[in-house]
Amino acid sequence: MKHLLFFCLLLCSKLSFAQNDPLLLIDGDTVSMKSGLSLPYWLKAGQTLALGSNVKSASVLEFTIDSNQLVFSNVISVKNVQTVPVGKAWKIEAIACTNNTANPGDVLTWDGSHWVASANTANKPTVTTGAAVGSQVTGNVSDDGGSTVTAKGICYGLTPNLTLSNSHTDEGPGAGQFTSTIPFTFDTTYYYRAYATNAKGTGYGVTYTTIKHLKIGEIFGGGVIAYILQPGDPGYDANVPHGLIAAPSDQGTGVTWRNGSYVTTGAIAQALGTGNANTNTIVAAQGAGNYAAQLCYDLVLNGYSDWYLPSKDELNKLYLNKTIIGGFATTDYWTSSEYGSSDSWDQSFNTGFQNFHGKNYVFYVRPVRSF
């Protein structure tokens, strides 16, 4: 039985083949798939199988040898040199041909005595592209087109007509959703789209572009970009830009910090990223009214409702960039950082000096929101 299964019928390395014959290499010897020769289609443990000219992949059935019987165990797609494992036998079942064979896209199958070409009716894969989140881009191969997906990923570059000749990731074979990390830089506009390849060709998803570079003074997110987080800042992310957006103009020009009486709110945080929590704390402690934090808390401007009174450090960023942001008066502005029961921090937009004053003082208010 073993000899019937494993002995090769002919080694064809000394024969001449047509230029477009699809070829395999068995133990390094060349065999043709379309020359009319009988192929040694059973391989035993220790033998090697590799792709020759005009072949994209070979499909083999793997069997486990159990008490001199063959028990089917797996289907393997061979794309490089592979060796039959110990205790296994392989039957070469089908070969996918490249486009320079006599029958482009053919799949050759064994009919019991000859290799027969059957036209490959597969289509290119169906692929969708997801929007980038920082450096992460998702794609989805929703349909393999009737042929195994051998590669998928994201093409990206500086021009919109992207193909595999451009930079691209490779997330391996198979259909389904995948995620790629792209080395986007935020001072450059990148184009990107998903791709997937099968025996029929490569299918592409819709092309997207990255968000353009954000800079201080740019109109964005309902206001003006006032500050972009830098390394060392709380909340900094090297892959996703974050920062502060200032309202385009002052929203109050004579507003107290307190709501009629002195209350210790506990909104004492001063760092970047704390102004929103301060504002919520102040409003919860002081209730409804006409005062600095409430004015920002209630503001709906240019489609956004998440404005807040900046903290001490956040307001200082607005002061440092006041000329680029624009619209500030040379007077004092409230922060959301409380100093004590009677006082809170403010900043002069004339001198830049930060000080604390009584909550009954009337100062200007410039709301911010985060991005």
Side-chain angles (χ1 to χ4, degrees), residues 82-93:
Q82 291 187 233
T83 303
V84 182
V86 174
K88 305 290 185 180
W90 282 2
K91 180 183 178 183
I92 306 172
E93 185 183 46

Side-chain angles (χ1 to χ4, degrees), residues 25-29 43-44 46-50 81-84 90:
L25 300 175
I26 297 178
D27 292 338
D29 291 312
L43 300 179
K44 65 181 180 179
Q47 287 192 284
T48 61
L49 177 63
V81 180
Q82 291 187 233
T83 303
V84 182
W90 282 2

Side-chain angles (χ1 to χ4, degrees), residues 23 26 72 149 151 160 176 221 240 251 293:
L23 307 176
I26 297 178
F72 173 75
V149 172
V240 183
Q251 298 297 305

Side-chain angles (χ1 to χ4, degrees), residues 131-267:
V133 179
S135 61
Q136 304 293 306
V137 179
T138 59
N140 185 43
V141 185
S142 58
D143 188 341
D144 64 8
S147 178
T148 300
V149 172
T150 56
K152 61 182 180 291
I154 302 294
C155 299
Y156 60 95
L158 304 180
T159 56
N161 298 318
L162 299 167
T163 67
L164 291 180
S165 62
N166 297 99
S167 297
H168 61 276
T169 65
D170 186 350
E171 305 303 338
Q177 187 168 307
F178 60 91
T179 301
S180 292
T181 300
I182 312 298
F184 293 138
T185 55
F186 288 98
D187 57 351
T188 304
T189 298
Y190 277 92
Y191 297 85
Y192 62 93
R193 65 173 173 171
Y195 77 90
T197 301
N198 64 10
K200 192 67 174 180
T202 300
Y204 295 95
V206 173
T207 299
Y208 282 74
T209 59
T210 58
I211 189 170
K212 66 179 180 177
H213 174 60
L214 303 179
K215 58 183 181 294
I216 295 171
E218 181 179 351
I219 302 300
F220 180 76
V224 182
I225 295 179
Y227 182 69
I228 298 173
L229 298 186
Q230 302 299 305
D233 286 341
Y236 172 78
D237 186 333
N239 296 314
V240 183
H242 295 293
L244 296 172
I245 297 170
S249 60
D250 298 330
Q251 298 297 305
T253 58
V255 184
T256 61
W257 201 96
R258 71 176 191 173
N259 184 26
S261 61
Y262 294 107
V263 175
T264 301
T265 68

Side-chain angles (χ1 to χ4, degrees), residues 20-24 33-34 39 49-60 76-79 92-110 115-122 146-150 197-201:
N20 59 6
D21 267 4
L23 307 176
L24 290 180
M33 311 305 297
K34 295 185 74 172
L39 180 72
L49 177 63
L51 307 183
S53 301
N54 305 319
V55 176
K56 274 191 173 182
S57 65
S59 177
V60 302
I76 299 174
S77 180
V78 177
K79 299 184 181 66
I92 306 172
E93 185 183 46
I95 294 91
C97 303
T98 56
N99 289 334
N100 58 342
T101 57
N103 301 94
D106 276 356
V107 173
L108 301 182
T109 56
W110 181 254
W115 288 94
V116 180
S118 57
N120 185 351
T121 58
S147 178
T148 300
V149 172
T150 56
T197 301
N198 64 10
K200 192 67 174 180

